[in-house]
Amino acid sequence: MTTHTLADLQKWEEKGRDRSPPIRLGVVGDPVAHSLSPQMQNAALEKSGLDFRYAAFQISPNELAEAFDLFRKRDFVGLNLTVPHKIAALALVDEVEEHAREIGAINTVVFRGGKSSGWNTDAPGFVAAIRDAFSVDLRDLRVLLLGAGGGAGRALARQCAWENCERLVLVNRTFEKAQALARELAPSFAGPRVLGPEARLEAVRWEENALRPQIARIDLVVNATTLGLKLFDPLPLSRSLLAPHLMIYDLIAQERPTSLLEAAAEAGARCANGLTLLLHQSALAFELWFDRPAPRTEMRVALRFA
Ligand SMILES: NC(=O)c1ccc[n+]([C@@H]2O[C@H](COP(=O)([O-])OP(=O)(O)OC[C@H]3O[C@@H](n4cnc5c(N)ncnc54)[C@H](OP(=O)(O)O)[C@@H]3O)[C@@H](O)[C@H]2O)c1
């Protein structure tokens, strides 16, 4: 799959990118070459008889504003945004949907009627992903979220609040971001404590001795950090904290198990990779662009985990 650049966008017609069917959708990231979105969204476009193609765009943070202008000029239908653009792109769209504004990050852009709008489908997609991966409802779980300060982490934390999850523990390398998010979410967790006197919402330091007492009171651990994207990244959670009662969900959307998922499986925990989130957040984005149900079966097959 070819990855396009800002230079390609600048010389779009010259480069023949408008040949039929024209590229009118894409995922924008840095890096982006590993993205499975093109194969999945192109399968969805084909199944739906829509005469467009979806491509990957390697765009660095300092190129994002110019790329946005060019996507607009080139009559794009929509975009997906991935690392590291989800927060910065908020400032580039004309309107931001209410939930996305509350989250403070967008992963989907819709161009319609001369205007662009920003949406976040990671958050609702996460509910479907957890049900798909573990056959449980997010709202029934006690969740520990690693990487709570990132774009995806913030979205997932908000969704846990909207779902009224039993407990939410926020962990982030930059602890101040987890603390700030805990303050923002506090009103959502002020309700009755079904589990007794313990706090329903906490920000906890990323230190083994701070995390250890949490583990027995957690059902689901989510890795929403970028650790694991690179082959030799360290584990986001020490092996000694991985216990058989846990469900471990790693947002990294790849079939090859990350070292976290390998270690979790060895510890006897139930594990799932981020492909289910990729499927469900992408299907929701497709529905925003085209106002029709996404062909989830074909999208799942295109991701090769049917
Ligand atoms: N499956 C899917 O559909 C899907 C959807 C969304 C995201 N994702 C994945 O989720 C991950 C996060 O994406 P994002 O958009 O939230 O990225 P982001 O906004 O760049 O956030 C990165 C997060 O990772 C943390 N982090 C980065 N390097 C770290 C390190 N060396 N040690 C510990 N923490 C570190 C950051 O902590 P600081 O705040 O301290 O910098 C921050 O919490 C990525 O792997 C992405 O591919 C998958």
Side-chain angles (χ1 to χ4, degrees), residues 253-275:
Q254 62 182 31
E255 255 176 302
R256 175 177 60 81
T258 57
S259 44
L260 172 65
L261 293 185
E262 276 176 348
E266 276 169 29
R270 294 169 70 195
C271 302
N273 62 39
L275 288 174

Side-chain angles (χ1 to χ4, degrees), residues 83 86 147 150-152 172-174 177 224-227 251 274 278 281:
V83 180
K86 292 183 184 182
N172 200 58
R173 176 180 60 178
T174 313
K177 290 191 201 168
T225 74
T226 45
L227 285 179
L251 250 64
L278 180 62
Q281 55 98 341

Side-chain angles (χ1 to χ4, degrees), residues 9-30:
L9 271 171
Q10 287 162 339
K11 298 184 178 163
W12 201 238
E13 290 82 6
E14 210 177 293
K15 295 249 175 186
R17 306 295 187 231
D18 270 346
R19 69 175 184 273
S20 185
I23 296 170
R24 287 286 184 274
L25 296 131
V27 55
V28 181
D30 182 15

Side-chain angles (χ1 to χ4, degrees), residues 211-223:
L211 292 170
R212 187 168 299 286
Q214 295 293 337
I215 293 297
R217 299 178 287 138
I218 289 297
D219 307 303
L220 172 69
V221 173
V222 181
N223 176 32

Side-chain angles (χ1 to χ4, degrees), residues 31 34 37 40 81-87 105-107 121-122 129 146-156 171-178 206 223-230 233-236 249-254 273-282:
H34 65 283
S37 292
M40 179 181 41
L81 300 163
T82 185
V83 180
H85 299 314
K86 292 183 184 182
I87 296 172
I106 57 174
N107 74 330
T121 65
D122 284 336
L146 299 166
R154 289 182 59 82
L156 271 39
V171 185
N172 200 58
R173 176 180 60 178
T174 313
F175 182 53
E176 295 69 27
K177 290 191 201 168
W206 197 323
N223 176 32
T225 74
T226 45
L227 285 179
L229 274 179
K230 297 195 203 104
D233 276 344
L235 278 178
Y249 191 85
D250 196 333
L251 250 64
I252 293 178
Q254 62 182 31
N273 62 39
L275 288 174
T276 47
L277 176 57
L278 180 62
L279 169 70
H280 292 289
Q281 55 98 341
S282 302

